[in-house]
Amino acid sequence: MNISLLIIFIFLCLALYLGIQAKQGKKMNMEQWAVGGRGFGTLFIFLLIAGEVYTTFTFLGGSGWAYSKGAAAYYVPSYIFLAYVLSYWLAPKIWRYAKDNKLLSQPDFFATKYRSPYLGVLVAIVGCLALVPNIIIQFKGLGIIVSQSSYGAISQTAASCIGALVVTIYVMVSGIHGSAWTSVIKDFMILIVVVFLGLYIPFHYFGGIQPMFEAVHHVKPELLTLPDQGLSTSWFISTVLLNAIGFYIMPTSFMVVLTAKGEKAIRKNAILLPLYTILLLFVFFIGYAAVVQIPGLQGGEGDLSLLKLATQTFDPWIVGFIGAAGLLTALVPASVMLMSTSIGLTQNLYKVIVPSATERQLSFTSKGFILLLSAISLYFTVNGSDALAILNIMSYGLIIQLAPALFFSFVKNNFVNKYGAFAGIIAGELMVLYMTVTKKTIGTLLPYASRAIQDINTGYIALLVNIIVMVVVSLVTKNIKINETKPENPRLVLHESKNE
């Protein structure tokens, strides 16, 4: 075992220890296990939401996009900044309603808002389809990071398997508490590693950040501006707006909001988190430096630019710390993804099928779902699948189809009913599937439109179809009698929020 792999292994053991120890002194009922007893303050909310930003996709893909796409990579911090602004208004409303109605999951929220357990089933399935590919990305990214930073001392497959085992164990034992405590060490490591790399590498190779950009301009000037077509200005603006809307609709972000002990903690994070997101710029600096120092990386190889530059620049023990930070960027997000998916399936699929299930049975089922989801994700991490690749492309588009029903649910006199919400989501999901499989874009649908129109993010088409179907079906079915005093399923005990 070389020094790099030894350092990574030490941090893996530390993460496992912190994840298991997190349950100490807590009675692990479903509320405590799933949402931390709704007792997380500003710091833990900060770290868990930040965990959604600094994933393996960011660690590898952020520098990779800067390497291969250039200025287009700036859409990532831009949409995250805007998402935090929106969360100042949106997240407290979600938290308040969930607390008043004792909800544990995102599907719970939709099922209760629209008085339909079957809408909850649909949302749980959508969340599962969207998050499993992301869990696989974390496991696969973990394998790449550990294998590369250990100089091949361990294979990608072995690293992915060990990482998946660790995260599965501590999530089953400590639930969201395990994610919260491992996020402490993860964000500490990311802060040190990203800032160090983002400053050291430009100064080491170029004498500063400005000289680095001048060198990139000399080699590939096109990387420093948005192109006139494709990833153009209209693509950039439309993508930033679309992703900002979807950020807190992701089941993971939604679940973290439910763990807060109060609205004040959520609003503080909406103010503070944009500052932390600025660290992404340091990741981009590394990608830009690699353009000059490691030319010729093609396609997906660009995602390896950070690790290749690190192994070329530093001694093995420093590379070990970089690999450990990368390892943690996989463990924390994967743990929250496993949690949110398993809770949604338990509360809104299993509990609909078995409405008389006891809390002990629900707890056992949730942990069973975690084991199952982890095993499925690991299988596809190792073997891959064309169908999975399609799901991965679709994942964000699938989740954002929940946005119209969510936003309408906060309207005081909401005319959208459960039929409209259900039909709209289904229509939107089918359109996402059609557009993905056929590779249709606004450009192919409107070939004679201006370039600015053609480059608008395709996700808006599915959203438009979703909203039209939702409104039409709601108006057509508005005279259908809906029991407003008693839920359709005895498991849903509704308590209307006094603040709604």
Side-chain angles (χ1 to χ4, degrees), residues 31-45:
E31 185 178 46
Q32 192 68 247
W33 187 77
V35 292
R38 305 182 204 276
F40 286 179
T42 303
L43 178 60
F44 274 158
I45 298 296

Side-chain angles (χ1 to χ4, degrees), residues 138-189:
Q138 303 312 311
F139 287 168
K140 187 167 290 188
L142 184 153
I144 293 171
I145 291 169
V146 173
S147 180
Q148 289 282 324
S149 56
S150 67
Y151 302 89
I154 185 171
S155 69
Q156 291 185 25
T157 299
S160 295
C161 291
I162 294 170
L165 178 63
V166 167
V167 74
T168 302
I169 290 172
Y170 78 68
V171 169
M172 289 178 67
V173 172
S174 300
I176 196 67
H177 289 281
S179 303
W181 277 102
T182 51
S183 70
V184 173
I185 184 173
K186 174 247 186 186
D187 280 81
F188 175 75
M189 288 287 290

Side-chain angles (χ1 to χ4, degrees), residues 113-246:
K113 270 284 188 180
Y114 288 96
R115 299 175 180 270
S116 171
Y118 302 109
L119 183 59
V121 172
L122 175 63
V123 173
I125 293 172
V126 169
C128 182
L129 290 175
L131 284 186
V132 166
N134 281 283
I135 296 170
I136 293 165
I137 288 174
Q138 303 312 311
F139 287 168
K140 187 167 290 188
L142 184 153
I144 293 171
I145 291 169
V146 173
S147 180
Q148 289 282 324
S149 56
S150 67
Y151 302 89
I154 185 171
S155 69
Q156 291 185 25
T157 299
S160 295
C161 291
I162 294 170
L165 178 63
V166 167
V167 74
T168 302
I169 290 172
Y170 78 68
V171 169
M172 289 178 67
V173 172
S174 300
I176 196 67
H177 289 281
S179 303
W181 277 102
T182 51
S183 70
V184 173
I185 184 173
K186 174 247 186 186
D187 280 81
F188 175 75
M189 288 287 290
I190 281 293
L191 180 64
I192 293 174
V193 167
V194 167
V195 172
F196 170 72
L197 291 178
L199 291 178
Y200 180 86
I201 286 177
F203 278 89
H204 175 71
Y205 284 109
F206 306 97
I209 293 173
Q210 181 178 331
M212 177 191 71
F213 279 108
E214 290 172 349
V216 173
H217 183 267
H218 179 73
V219 176
K220 285 191 174 182
E222 68 274 13
L223 292 180
L224 300 180
T225 58
L226 292 173
D228 294 330
Q229 62 182 39
L231 302 179
S232 63
T233 302
S234 61
W235 168 86
F236 187 95
I237 294 171
S238 62
T239 301
V240 166
L241 291 173
L242 191 72
N243 286 18
I245 292 170

Side-chain angles (χ1 to χ4, degrees), residues 8-21 139 142 146 154 158-175 178-179 182 185 327-328 330-332 334-336 338 370-371 374-375 378:
I8 295 170
F9 180 73
I10 289 171
F11 275 91
L12 179 69
C13 293
L14 180 59
L16 178 60
Y17 172 77
L18 288 175
I20 293 175
Q21 281 291 111
F139 287 168
L142 184 153
V146 173
I154 185 171
S160 295
C161 291
I162 294 170
L165 178 63
V166 167
V167 74
T168 302
I169 290 172
Y170 78 68
V171 169
M172 289 178 67
V173 172
S174 300
S179 303
T182 51
I185 184 173
L327 166 80
L328 294 168
L331 294 183
V332 175
S335 67
V336 180
L338 285 169
I370 284 177
L371 197 59
S374 187
L378 187 58

Side-chain angles (χ1 to χ4, degrees), residues 352-405:
V352 168
I353 298 171
V354 188
S356 60
T358 64
E359 180 155 319
R360 184 176 181 180
Q361 289 172 326
L362 293 176
S363 176
F364 181 81
T365 302
S366 291
K367 293 173 183 178
F369 273 128
I370 284 177
L371 197 59
L372 178 63
L373 289 166
S374 187
I376 291 172
S377 300
L378 187 58
Y379 173 82
F380 284 112
T381 298
V382 175
N383 296 287
S385 165
D386 291 339
L388 189 72
I390 293 175
L391 264 183
N392 183 32
I393 295 170
M394 291 169 52
S395 62
Y396 207 88
L398 292 173
I399 283 296
I400 206 163
Q401 298 311 313
L402 305 179

